[in-house]
Amino acid sequence: MNWTELISNCRLGQEHRHAERHDDRTEFKRDYDRLIFSAPFRRLQNKTQVFPLPGSIFVHNRLTHSLEVASVGMSLGNDVARAICAKNPDFIGTLVPEIGQIVATACLAHDLGNPPFGHSGEKAIQTFFSEGAGASLQSRVSPEFWSDITRFDGNANAFRLLTHSFKGRRQGGFAMTYSTLASIVKYPWPSLQATKKNKFGFFNFERQAYEQVAQKLNIPMMEPDKWARYPLVYLVEAADDICYEIMDLEDAYKLKILSFDETVSLMLSFFDEIGKNRILSRISDEELTDPNEKIQYLRACVINKLESECVHTFLDHEDDIMQGSFKGSLIDHIAPPCNAAYAHCAAISKARIYKSRPVLDVELSGYRIMATLMELMVEAIEHPDRYYSQQLIGRVSSQYDIGNENLETRIMSVIDYISGMTDVYALDVYQKICGISLPIV
């Protein structure tokens, strides 16, 4: 792969359109602004990150997480771009210096496709078809579509959300640049080629869109139906990995799942003795007495350390990344002391945070809510002539093609509708259509 081919400001669905511009924003900055002001991005404020509906203690949701990931992604991209341009001065007059903006924009978009209640919501959609009432539909749809819905994934759904032309929308969906779109596809293959963890990058409905992006950017196919990872994906992934792990530790401290001493110990483990002593000296300063401020300072130090490590790892392995032969994530390849500290934090998070009772309780509730919505809505589109079906279908926005004659399109429209809900809205719809609560007029 070649950097000058990989960075393109051509827009999906507007390949032959040359719009008149009235300001000096780059096309990649326009992508960023387009996402910031979009309804799907706004809805992330009411979607679960790790701790659902945390009550009076403010912790992260998908919106704040995405903004933080975009901030780290901008730093990663800018540092990589500077190093690449320093090594190849001919790139300075090209679009290569825009890497930071592209990565930041892709970071904003990386969670757009996540359904309500996070991974629990994903599982509810998958198992409705693989284990629930939806299993009866298998013989009526194509193997490719069945693979998509039984492996439903937020990553693939984000690509759909940005590229699909919903009813009333322009060609190309959000009409994003090719480089931004390629940067969010962590797993560039369809669901039939999914990994052991069921990860894939795009639904069969959007296969043509990804092929178009890959062809334009000259991303090679490494195996049948498997493309090389777009290089900037590694930076988006690293920004997400850094923020997800470290910010979860801070949230766990705020919710008293981890003690102050435990949190300090975990965060200091990323540094050598000189680094530890410098940080301890800073947080022992007489002016810095608030424990929350001390944790925030430690968190900033860890993020800065991991960002630097990931930049070095990317540059050290640039040739492999550009050849499509680099395996794993950047975090997997950072220096051993940092890598071991990250792995230890991940293990603590899995045991103490992600399996804590408040998280599990809301995940169980979220699963039931999503499973019920899926069952009722799919039954409605299977039997649209029934009175109750017509009432349910009448609640759905016209942008979803729920009345289409094609069964696969109708099913996908139901998934679009339900996966686009916020946690609070999904709960509200569930209570209303199940007769648990009545709307207040």
Side-chain angles (χ1 to χ4, degrees):
M1 289 179 279
N2 181 284
W3 281 116
T4 54
E5 293 178 332
L6 290 172
I7 311 300
S8 168
N9 57 15
C10 184
R11 293 188 174 279
L12 183 70
Q14 297 184 357
E15 288 81 4
H16 306 294
R17 181 179 174 186
H18 300 283
E20 184 180 351
R21 301 305 186 193
H22 301 284
D23 55 49
D24 59 358
R25 288 180 300 160
T26 68
E27 295 304 314
F28 307 118
K29 181 61 168 65
R30 291 177 190 278
D31 280 354
Y32 187 93
D33 294 345
R34 194 168 289 182
L35 285 176
I36 282 283
F37 288 95
S38 71
F41 185 74
R42 203 158 49 242
R43 285 196 290 268
L44 292 177
Q45 67 183 304
N46 242 181
K47 285 197 175 186
T48 297
Q49 176 59 18
V50 172
F51 302 103
L53 310 176
S56 60
I57 300 175
F58 186 78
V59 292
H60 290 83
N61 54 38
R62 292 280 178 186
L63 181 68
T64 52
H65 169 70
S66 296
L67 290 168
E68 288 165 351
V69 174
S71 177
V72 175
M74 178 72 82
S75 297
L76 285 164
N78 284 341
D79 288 350
V80 165
R82 274 193 295 270
I84 290 173
C85 289
K87 189 168 59 175
N88 304 276
D90 290 345
F91 289 166
I92 294 174
T94 68
L95 296 175
V96 173
E98 294 292 326
I99 285 175
Q101 183 66 72
I102 298 168
V103 173
T105 303
C107 288
L108 283 185
H110 84 284
D111 270 351
L112 282 186
N114 285 67
F117 306 106
H119 297 301
S120 184
E122 274 185 334
K123 276 295 178 186
I125 294 172
Q126 294 168 6
T127 56
F128 169 75
F129 296 106
S130 62
E131 302 173 7
S136 63
L137 296 167
Q138 182 174 4
S139 61
R140 300 168 60 189
V141 299
S142 68
E144 292 82 5
F145 183 72
W146 187 251
S147 178
D148 284 350
I149 58 179
T150 54
R151 292 184 168 102
F152 175 84
D153 183 81
N155 292 289
N157 202 40
F159 188 74
R160 174 175 173 81
L161 191 61
L162 293 178
T163 60
H164 183 67
S165 298
F166 292 94
K167 288 184 69 175
R169 294 290 301 274
R170 61 187 163 193
Q171 187 69 24
F174 274 63
M176 307 293 278
T177 61
Y178 281 59
S179 292
T180 295
L181 291 172
S183 297
I184 70 165
V185 183
K186 291 173 66 175
Y187 310 101
W189 47 79
S191 63
L192 284 174
Q193 300 293 331
T195 60
K196 291 181 181 179
K197 293 183 179 180
N198 283 337
K199 295 296 185 181
F200 62 101
F202 47 87
F203 298 121
N204 194 53
F205 274 106
E206 286 71 55
R207 180 192 177 99
Q208 184 177 354
Y210 184 77
E211 288 178 340
Q212 190 173 333
V213 169
Q215 182 179 10
K216 174 67 177 180
L217 302 181
N218 205 14
I219 302 172
M221 186 180 287
M222 307 301 288
E223 302 174 28
D225 262 1
K226 281 197 172 186
W227 284 262
R229 260 189 160 194
Y230 184 67
L232 301 191
V233 165
Y234 290 101
L235 301 179
V236 176
E237 181 181 47
D240 187 28
D241 287 344
I242 291 168
C243 291
Y244 193 94
E245 192 56 57
I246 305 309
M247 299 311 300
D248 285 354
L249 293 180
E250 184 178 350
D251 282 350
Y253 163 71
K254 289 180 180 178
L255 293 171
K256 303 188 186 311
I257 294 173
L258 295 176
S259 70
F260 176 81
D261 289 340
E262 285 176 313
T263 309
V264 169
S265 176
L266 287 169
M267 291 189 175
L268 284 176
S269 65
F270 287 88
F271 302 92
D272 58 21
E273 288 304 313
I274 295 175
K276 288 179 182 178
N277 291 334
R278 176 180 57 80
I279 293 169
L280 285 171
S281 173
R282 177 67 181 88
I283 64 175
S284 299
D285 193 306
E286 292 181 0
E287 293 182 3
L288 191 61
T289 58
D290 186 330
N292 289 326
E293 286 292 320
K294 292 181 179 183
I295 295 298
Q296 288 170 21
Y297 176 74
L298 271 164
R299 175 256 297 157
C301 291
V302 174
I303 288 178
N304 184 62
K305 174 72 172 174
L306 287 172
E307 190 270 340
S308 177
E309 288 287 336
C310 286
V311 168
H312 288 311
T313 301
F314 186 96
L315 296 172
D316 289 344
H317 295 275
E318 183 185 351
D319 289 343
D320 291 336
I321 289 171
M322 298 299 279
Q323 291 169 12
S325 59
F326 184 74
K327 303 297 183 184
S329 67
L330 296 180
I331 287 287
D332 292 336
H333 295 270
I334 60 178
C338 257
N339 183 282
Y342 186 93
H344 180 58
C345 286
I348 293 293
S349 295
K350 184 175 181 180
R352 298 277 301 280
I353 300 174
Y354 309 142
K355 294 187 181 297
S356 64
R357 181 168 292 181
V359 172
L360 292 177
D361 285 348
V362 180
E363 283 191 349
L364 286 169
S365 299
Y367 182 95
R368 177 55 57 197
I369 291 167
M370 292 290 288
T372 302
L373 293 178
M374 286 295 300
E375 183 172 353
L376 292 173
M377 290 304 305
V378 171
E379 183 180 8
I381 59 108
E382 278 192 278
H383 308 284
D385 295 332
R386 294 177 180 175
Y387 171 76
Y388 189 59
S389 297
Q390 292 174 4
Q391 300 297 96
L392 285 176
I393 292 171
R395 298 187 93 266
V396 181
S397 169
S398 61
Q399 70 174 306
Y400 303 112
D401 199 5
I402 212 158
N404 195 288
E405 292 184 2
N406 182 275
L407 176 62
E408 291 185 1
T409 300
R410 294 203 305 275
I411 294 172
M412 202 65 209
S413 295
V414 167
I415 295 174
D416 289 333
Y417 170 57
I418 294 175
S419 66
M421 294 178 176
T422 65
D423 294 15
V424 172
Y425 184 64
L427 173 61
D428 180 59
V429 172
Y430 168 81
Q431 290 176 330
K432 286 186 172 68
I433 66 178
C434 290
I436 298 172
S437 69
L438 291 173
I440 299 174
V441 181

